[in-house]
């Protein structure tokens, strides 16, 4: 066991536990976007940045293991500035604000991010509604990789792939043939984990458009 | 999205007007689900972090809910008049039922009446049904559809170990070095457990798959054995033979915890790998490798499904699997569990609740004076000490004219039970048939009264999953129209037959179940929480994730080795019927398809197909997608062929999800010797193409 403090609260965590787990044990919130407890930590989004005494830069909480005696600050100014900036950057590419119930919207709200300072290109609408249950709206994809990992690590269908680079980074079902013509088993784990509704249930998309 | 304002995020629930936490009604995995409804319709279902599903679910649990508001849901009682079903009031329908049941009882005695509980219904529904049949009608003619799937498992586990349930939990899969899967295809039939097994395999758990078909998990495993259908016993005996020959027996476990091993040792002499190869057609070297892999591992779990049970000697094969586990000491320890994957959501519970012709709750015999007296006192009604009829016996008795009336709820026997022609003859022979259903189906065609009941999404109560886990079921929506919950209906019929249960809600029934059943003594609604309780549950609420860690639940506390030899299955290919048909199910549909066919799952898969190996297909001039005729000794169907090498040459496979296929016309009367579970898995058939273009039909040589 290692003993660490999170915002002054002392907690004991199991060997190998991450800062994120320690923060949770201490009851302190750390913003995350690419993290899902059903999947191995990925460390891609850089939203979960925290300060650690002695470290010159903020560290990602989801992938950094605790060391005995670590002093962690979840709301340290630089770390929080990085988290907010990342969320703003992510939002800047979306053609419309994420729906209020989505994880991205909730993280943004809790971080006090109400918009983006950056203007520029936004994704064009590109919706794939071929599957009877799953809607894939590419313009809402932020390339967090959660759907790909849900498909690999939770279901084991290996139907989703990350594609493209930079601004064009997105996801593809079955090499872009769509869910039905892939190894997809329609389990919906991707829709369940998606923090932006880029993959969601058709029934809910219809609901959204009606309301 | 420059400078766009993001509104304050409301709680997710604000999108929906009714959110409930419940347990899935598809399959025995028992995923915990969150249901979300708007205006009385379910719009979404997502997984909760349950002990069986860990925040995951499959396309049936998550998406296949649209059937609940299908336009053809039964919304009003129906009564047959001049050969047609017409709408009726509840008063009229219930009055008719009571009058007819009382008439039959007066004229022919209570044993001329039988009831079927449903493995899709809650424990409380099933318990209420068996109480109605036992106390209000006065007969033990009560059974449930686990008869036709896992009754052999129940029988065998009771014989070998003592209790009728998995010895461990699905979590054991995560701790097993080796997983042996016999006659089970979890990625199709039990998708969430299938996904868990696949992930375990990707992390290093070594899988041995034993199935006539090359199931998907075989691709992730170490060894795949494809025995001829009906030869599982030889494979199990062969594995035991090699374990013994190679010195992999856990001698201490056998000596201290078991009895009867000597007789098995003698029997095993005859099942060396060469002999097993001869019987089962699996390479001797593969059998040896499989036995070593399992025998040498520090932990190993055995999983099986209907590919083991639905055979003439299914209950014996389960006992042989128990032998294998005991020989290697792989039972009652973390990672070493015997996990039968139960078919329907409450196969475990419907039998646990005593919806069986020979037992009350927790498998206590109706012939046991003390138990019967307990229920008599609790219910205030005289109870029969004579065993009732099993489902197949009910049909035989109906055809023979001894059974006059049946009350069936939640089971479409005319589609799912074997030898459809015989089942229909039985239905037609009855003087009175009540069906309590959510849709009209093949069986309701013969019903005199049809009562509109509720789907699992409209119910309250508990299910018991394949890990013996009681889990709470909460209604996501209300039943449509005038439909009522099964629990309400059964209680009302009981009352009108003069037997008042005194329950107001299913939770009152659960309290009674706990009070009258020592194994469930500590079960209560409050204690179930989100994690459920695995029976036996002690009065203080302590449950039992693992059974038999120190002792077996048999007289003397020892596990029993059954010396059972291989015996040939009830059917075998010959010149007239040269292929062996195996039947089963697929991911997208559930059993008779009553629910899944009424959802967009039917867009994903809209028909049953017959899998044929390319070698057989070429020989029979069958192309992918051709319609073929499949003829067995008792019936004939037409179906579309799918050419695939997932199946071995000489075998064909199909499903029974679509009533238009009527697959079960092909299945004969052969059944498990101990439990009369039908032999759905070994059917000798003749397959021929039916072509619209006559020139493609092969000329069948007749010698000239």
């Amino acid at each position: 066991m290692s003993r660490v403090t999170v915002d002054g609260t002392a907690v004991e965590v199991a060997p190998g536990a991450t800062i994120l787990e320690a923060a949770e044990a201490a009851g302190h919130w750390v913003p995350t976007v690419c993290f899902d407890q059903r999947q191995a930590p990925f460390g891609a989004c850089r939203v979960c940045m925290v300060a650690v005494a002695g470290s010159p830069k903020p560290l990602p909480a989801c992938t950094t293991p605790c060391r005995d005696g670590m002093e962690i600050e979840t709301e340290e100014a630089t770390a929080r500035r990085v988290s907010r900036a990342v969320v703003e950057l992510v939002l800047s590419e979306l053609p419309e604000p994420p729906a209020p119930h989505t994880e991205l919207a909730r993280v943004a709200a809790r971080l006090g991010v109400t918009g983006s300072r950056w203007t520029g290109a936004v994704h064009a609408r590109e919706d794939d509604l071929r599957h009877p249950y799953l809607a894939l709206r590419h313009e809402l994809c932020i390339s967090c990789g959660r759907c790909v990992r849900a498909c690999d690590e939770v279901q084991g269908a290996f139907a989703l792939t990350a594609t493209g680079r930079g601004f064009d980074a997105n996801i593809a079902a079955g090499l872009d043939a769509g869910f039905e013509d892939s190894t997809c088993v329609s389990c919906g784990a991707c829709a369940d984990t998606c923090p932006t509704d880029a993959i969601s249930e058709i029934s809910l998309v219809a609901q959204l458009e009606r309301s | 999205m420059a400078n766009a304002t993001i509104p304050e995020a409301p709680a997710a629930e604000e999108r929906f007007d009714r959110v409930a936490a419940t347990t899935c009604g598809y399959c025995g995995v028992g995923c915990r689900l969150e249901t979300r409804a708007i205006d009385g319709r379910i719009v979404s279902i997502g997984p909760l972090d349950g002990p069986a599903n860990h925040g995951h679910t499959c396309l049936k649990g998550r998406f296949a809910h649209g059937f609940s508001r299908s336009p053809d849901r039964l919304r009003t009682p129906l009564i047959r008049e001049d050969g047609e079903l017409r709408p009726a009031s509840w008063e009229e329908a219930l009055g008719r039922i009571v009058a007819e049941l009382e008439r039959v009882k007066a004229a022919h005695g209570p044993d001329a009446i039988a009831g079927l509980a449903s493995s899709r219904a809650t424990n409380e529904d099933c318990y209420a049904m068996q109480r109605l049949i036992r106390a209000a009608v006065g007969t033990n003619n009560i059974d449930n559809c686990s008869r036709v799937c896992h009754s052999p498992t129940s029988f065998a586990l009771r014989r070998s170990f003592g209790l009728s349930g998995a010895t461990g939990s699905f979590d054991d899969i995560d701790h097993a070095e080796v997983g042996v899967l016999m006659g089970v295809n979890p990625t199709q039939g039990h998708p969430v457990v299938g996904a868990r097994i696949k992930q375990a395999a990707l992390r290093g758990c070594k899988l041995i798959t034993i199935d006539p078909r090359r199931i998907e998990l075989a691709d992730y495993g170490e060894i795949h054995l494809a025995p001829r259908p009906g030869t599982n016993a030889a494979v199990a005996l062969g594995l035991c033979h090699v374990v013994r020959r190679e010195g992999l027996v856990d001698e201490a476990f056998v000596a201290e915890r078991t009895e009867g091993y000597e007789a098995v040792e003698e029997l095993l002499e005859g099942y060396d790998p060469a002999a097993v190869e001869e019987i089962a057609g699996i390479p001797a070297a593969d059998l040896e490798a499989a036995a070593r892999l399992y025998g040498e591992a520090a932990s190993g779990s055995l999983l099986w499904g209907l590919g083991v049970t639905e055979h003439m000697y299914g209950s014996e094969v389960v006992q042989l699997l128990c032998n294998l586990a005991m020989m290697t000491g792989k039972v009652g320890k973390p990672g070493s569990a015997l996990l039968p994957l139960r078919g329907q959501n409450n196969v475990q519970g419907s039998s646990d609740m005593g919806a069986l012709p020979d037992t009350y709750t927790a498998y206590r015999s109706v012939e046991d004076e003390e138990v019967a007296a307990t229920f008599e006192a609790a219910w205030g009604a005289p109870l029969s000490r004579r065993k009732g009829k099993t489902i197949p016996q009910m049909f035989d008795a109906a055809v023979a004219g001894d059974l006059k009336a049946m009350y069936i709820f939640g089971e479409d026997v005319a589609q799912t039970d074997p030898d459809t022609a015989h089942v229909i003859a039985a239905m037609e022979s009855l003087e009175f048939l009540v069906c309590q259903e959510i849709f009209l189906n093949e069986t309701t065609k013969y019903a005199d009264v049809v009562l509109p009941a509720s789907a699992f999404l409209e119910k309250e109560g508990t299910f018991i999953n394949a890990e013996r886990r009681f889990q709470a079921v909460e209604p996501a929506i209300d039943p449509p129209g005038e439909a009522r919950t099964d629990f309400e209906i059964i209680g009302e019929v009981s009352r009108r037959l003069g037997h008042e249960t005194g329950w107001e809600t299913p939770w009152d029934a659960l309290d009674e179940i706990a009070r009258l059943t020592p194994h469930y003594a500590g079960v209560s609604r409050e204690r179930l929480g989100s994690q459920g309780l695995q029976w036996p549950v002690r009065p203080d609420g302590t449950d039992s994730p693992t059974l038999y860690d120190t002792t077996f639940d048999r007289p003397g506390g020892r596990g029993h080795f059954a010396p059972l030899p291989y015996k040939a299955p009830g059917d075998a290919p010959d010149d007239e019927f040269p292929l062996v048909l195996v039947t089963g199910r697929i991911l997208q549909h559930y059993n008779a398809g009553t629910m899944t066919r009424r959802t967009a799952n039917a867009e994903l898969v809209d028909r049953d197909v017959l899998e044929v190996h390319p070698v057989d297909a070429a020989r029979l001039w069958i192309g992918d997608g051709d319609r073929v005729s499949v003829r067995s000794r008792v019936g004939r169907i037409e179906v579309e062929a799918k050419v695939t090498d997932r199946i071995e040459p000489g075998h064909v496979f199909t499903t029974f999800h679509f009533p238009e296929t009527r697959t079960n016309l092909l299945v004969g009367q052969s059944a498990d010797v101990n439990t009369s579970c039908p032999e759905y898995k070994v059917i000798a058939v003749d397959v021929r193409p039916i072509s619209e273009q006559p020139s493609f039909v092969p000329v069948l040589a007749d010698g000239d």
Side-chain angles (χ1 to χ4, degrees):
Chain A
M1 301 295 277
S2 18
R3 283 184 70 82
V4 301
T5 61
V6 182
D7 300 333
T9 312
V11 283
E12 274 202 6
V13 292
T18 62
I19 291 178
L20 185 62
E21 287 164 327
E24 195 178 323
H28 291 266
W29 180 67
V30 173
T32 61
V33 169
C34 77
F35 180 79
D36 181 325
Q37 62 172 3
R38 293 166 287 196
Q39 305 167 6
F42 197 48
C45 72
R46 270 24 203 183
V47 172
C48 67
M49 303 308 277
V50 296
V52 172
S55 165
K57 289 184 291 186
L59 295 172
C62 74
T63 52
T64 308
C66 289
R67 274 180 293 100
D68 201 34
M70 225 180 210
E71 292 168 29
I72 299 152
E73 266 189 79
T74 62
E75 295 188 49
E76 188 268 335
T78 307
R80 208 24 83 84
R81 208 167 64 235
V82 175
S83 301
R84 289 202 184 98
V86 170
V87 171
E88 276 186 73
L89 277 168
V90 165
L91 293 176
S92 75
E93 294 187 354
L94 300 182
E96 59 194 68
H101 66 267
T102 60
E103 213 177 303
L104 179 62
R106 285 193 270 170
V107 167
R110 191 150 176 190
L111 284 173
V113 177
T114 54
S116 183
R117 282 167 283 169
W118 293 287
T119 56
V122 296
H123 293 297
R125 244 186 123 117
E126 191 190 344
D127 295 349
D128 178 351
L129 306 176
R130 287 174 288 181
H131 190 274
Y133 296 122
L134 293 166
L136 175 44
R137 291 178 294 172
H138 290 286
E139 72 274 15
L140 297 175
C141 177
I142 59 168
S143 295
C144 65
R146 279 169 64 165
C147 57
V148 177
R149 287 177 287 130
C151 194
D152 295 355
E153 296 174 26
V154 176
Q155 174 58 42
F158 307 100
L160 290 164
T161 325
T163 60
R165 312 181 65 168
F167 185 73
D168 294 324
N170 214 291
I171 45 150
L175 305 174
D176 251 355
F179 287 109
E180 271 197 79
D181 291 316
S182 72
T183 55
C184 173
V185 293
S186 308
C187 73
C190 49
D192 198 60
T193 191
C194 181
T196 67
D197 272 5
I199 302 180
S200 58
E201 289 182 53
I202 293 243
S203 63
L204 293 178
V205 174
Q207 201 69 41
L208 209 64
E209 278 162 8
R210 264 204 299 278
S211 62
Chain B
M1 210 208 72
N3 300 314
T5 306
I6 299 167
E8 280 289 305
E13 289 71 32
E14 287 186 16
R15 284 187 292 165
F16 314 111
D17 54 30
R18 188 166 170 183
V19 174
T22 191
T23 303
C24 186
Y26 286 110
C27 104
V29 173
C31 294
R32 292 287 295 161
L33 302 176
E34 179 180 284
T35 59
R36 303 140 188 166
I38 299 175
D39 297 335
R41 297 178 80 91
I42 292 169
V43 291
S44 168
I45 291 179
L48 292 171
D49 192 9
N53 61 313
H54 294 312
H56 186 42
T57 183
C58 77
L59 86 163
K60 292 193 283 278
R62 190 189 301 264
F63 296 126
H65 48 71
F67 74 91
S68 58
R69 284 299 176 271
S70 170
D72 60 345
R73 261 300 288 273
L74 289 169
R75 286 172 164 80
T76 167
L78 304 171
I79 284 184
R80 190 169 301 279
E81 198 171 86
D82 304 327
E84 298 290 326
L85 288 170
R86 61 150 174 90
S89 68
W90 275 102
E91 201 51 42
E92 188 185 4
L94 292 169
R96 177 91 176 265
I97 291 168
V98 170
E100 285 293 313
L101 293 182
E102 281 177 346
R103 179 187 64 76
V104 170
K105 189 172 162 180
H108 308 283
D111 291 337
I113 298 171
L116 294 188
S118 175
S119 294
R120 292 192 191 185
T122 62
N123 292 321
E124 295 71 22
D125 294 344
C126 292
Y127 183 80
M129 189 65 179
Q130 61 90 37
R131 180 165 166 179
L132 178 143
I133 295 295
R134 291 198 159 111
V137 176
T139 173
N140 283 314
N141 288 339
I142 170 78
D143 206 353
N144 75 80
C145 36
S146 72
R147 175 68 50 202
V148 299
C149 68
H150 265 292
S151 52
T153 294
S154 171
F155 174 90
L157 289 175
R158 280 187 273 161
R159 279 279 173 101
S160 296
F161 298 155
L163 298 174
S164 172
T167 71
S169 310
F170 293 141
D171 279 352
D172 284 304
I173 295 164
D174 298 337
H175 308 296
E177 273 182 31
V178 173
V180 181
L181 279 66
M182 185 186 246
V184 69
N185 190 358
T187 55
Q188 299 284 322
H190 303 82
V192 169
V193 162
R196 289 185 66 174
I197 296 170
K198 193 192 278 189
Q199 294 299 333
L202 292 168
R203 287 194 305 268
C205 173
K206 296 181 175 69
L207 300 183
I208 298 164
T209 52
I210 306 170
D211 200 293
R213 293 167 77 215
R214 191 173 170 85
I215 60 170
E216 186 192 357
L217 286 171
D219 298 347
Y220 295 80
E222 298 283 310
I223 299 167
H224 176 68
L225 305 176
R228 294 188 186 103
T231 63
N232 287 331
V235 178
L237 287 160
L239 291 169
C240 290
H241 176 101
V242 178
V243 161
R244 178 167 169 266
R245 190 187 71 193
E246 311 261 315
L248 299 170
V249 175
D250 184 338
E251 303 285 357
F253 188 93
V254 170
E256 290 158 22
R257 301 280 312 271
T258 69
E259 63 187 29
Y261 181 54
E262 303 70 29
V264 167
E265 276 194 299
E266 203 172 304
L267 173 76
L268 291 180
E269 295 292 341
Y271 295 93
D272 62 63
V276 174
E277 178 168 345
E278 188 70 27
I279 298 167
I282 54 172
D286 288 354
L287 182 82
E288 287 174 341
R292 282 190 206 110
L293 194 59
Y294 175 75
E296 287 170 0
S299 61
S301 286
L302 297 173
L303 292 89
W304 68 93
L306 305 183
V308 165
T309 60
E310 288 179 345
H311 288 279
M312 193 162 175
Y313 300 101
S315 55
E316 299 197 352
V317 176
V318 178
Q319 287 172 273
L320 294 174
L321 291 175
C322 295
N323 288 356
L324 177 63
M326 286 191 289
M327 277 175 78
T328 54
K330 289 186 175 60
V331 55
K333 300 170 189 167
S336 293
L338 286 89
L339 301 169
L341 294 186
R342 317 302 295 260
Q344 304 200 95
N345 53 315
N346 203 28
V347 167
Q348 180 75 48
S350 55
S351 295
D352 291 347
M353 291 305 116
L356 292 172
D358 54 344
T359 60
Y360 291 105
T361 53
Y363 308 93
R364 292 169 297 161
S365 174
V366 295
E367 295 167 331
D368 183 321
E369 185 52 42
E370 196 184 323
V371 174
T374 307
F375 282 93
E376 255 172 4
W379 296 343
L383 298 172
S384 168
R385 306 293 196 266
R386 199 166 56 245
K387 284 182 184 176
K389 295 180 179 67
T390 63
I391 293 176
Q393 289 167 346
M394 289 174 192
F395 297 152
D396 292 347
V399 171
D402 298 329
L403 190 73
K404 303 291 186 189
M406 282 188 82
Y407 182 166
I408 301 178
F409 94 90
E411 188 181 356
D412 185 3
V413 291
Q415 188 184 341
T416 57
D417 281 45
D419 201 353
T420 310
H422 182 66
V423 177
I424 289 172
M427 295 297 109
E428 286 179 332
S429 305
L430 292 171
E431 288 177 11
F432 186 66
L433 173 62
V434 186
C435 288
Q436 187 170 305
E437 274 298 342
I438 58 174
F439 294 105
L440 291 176
N441 59 29
E442 295 302 306
T443 310
T444 57
K445 288 177 181 167
Y446 309 95
D448 298 288
V449 178
V450 179
L451 299 177
S454 48
F456 76 92
L457 293 160
E458 297 147 7
K459 282 175 191 266
E460 190 173 25
T462 57
F463 293 149
I464 302 178
N465 81 348
E467 310 168 290
R468 298 171 279 105
R469 192 186 301 276
F470 277 87
Q471 300 194 106
V473 178
E474 301 282 353
I477 48 175
D478 298 322
E482 291 177 42
R484 296 183 184 175
T485 66
D486 292 280
F487 187 79
E488 263 181 279
I489 301 170
I490 296 166
E492 183 62 27
V493 172
S494 199
R495 183 172 307 121
R496 287 173 185 240
L497 285 170
H499 182 73
E500 177 64 60
T501 61
W503 306 320
E504 282 183 14
T505 71
W507 306 110
D508 298 331
L510 182 65
D511 289 344
E512 178 180 313
I513 293 162
R515 195 168 63 245
L516 295 176
T517 318
H519 274 136
Y520 317 142
V523 178
S524 71
R525 183 185 196 180
E526 295 67 35
R527 286 204 181 117
L528 289 175
S530 62
Q531 303 297 298
L533 291 167
Q534 288 173 279
W535 64 249
V537 185
R538 283 194 241 133
D540 65 0
T542 314
D543 74 341
S544 314
T546 302
L547 300 178
Y548 319 127
D549 49 347
T550 54
T551 176
F552 287 98
D553 207 48
R554 295 182 66 258
R558 286 173 176 263
H560 173 69
F561 275 100
L564 298 163
Y566 162 76
K567 288 167 233 123
D571 203 353
D574 54 25
D575 288 349
E576 191 181 356
F577 301 98
L579 297 171
V580 176
L581 170 70
V582 177
T583 64
R585 66 191 207 192
I586 53 165
L587 171 68
Q588 291 81 359
H589 289 284
Y590 182 56
N591 223 290
T594 326
M595 305 189 309
T596 50
R597 280 185 284 106
R598 289 178 172 89
T599 68
N601 285 33
E603 289 175 36
L604 296 168
V605 175
D606 63 358
R607 67 197 73 178
D608 294 311
V609 295
L610 183 81
E611 291 186 357
V612 187
H613 189 273
V615 168
D616 290 324
R619 193 169 51 80
L620 295 165
W621 290 35
I622 292 169
D624 206 36
D626 285 357
R627 268 196 92 64
V628 296
S629 152
V630 186
R631 195 167 58 91
S632 77
R633 292 178 212 283
V634 296
R636 177 182 170 279
I637 63 164
E638 294 182 8
V639 66
E640 188 181 301
K642 180 186 174 192
V643 179
T644 170
D645 57 10
R646 285 262 168 209
I647 190 118
E648 295 286 304
H651 308 160
V652 289
F653 173 86
T654 193
T655 49
F656 60 101
H657 300 305
F658 292 84
E660 49 273 29
T661 316
R662 314 210 80 178
T663 304
N664 286 318
L665 277 169
L666 301 172
V667 185
Q669 290 278 329
S670 177
D672 179 60
V673 287
N674 292 308
T675 67
S676 53
C677 175
E679 193 164 45
Y680 289 108
K681 301 291 186 180
V682 189
I683 306 145
V685 292
D686 176 47
V687 178
R688 285 161 199 255
I690 315 165
S691 178
E692 287 172 12
Q693 290 156 290
S695 61
F696 288 174
V697 177
V699 178
L700 299 169
D702 61 4
D704 66 31

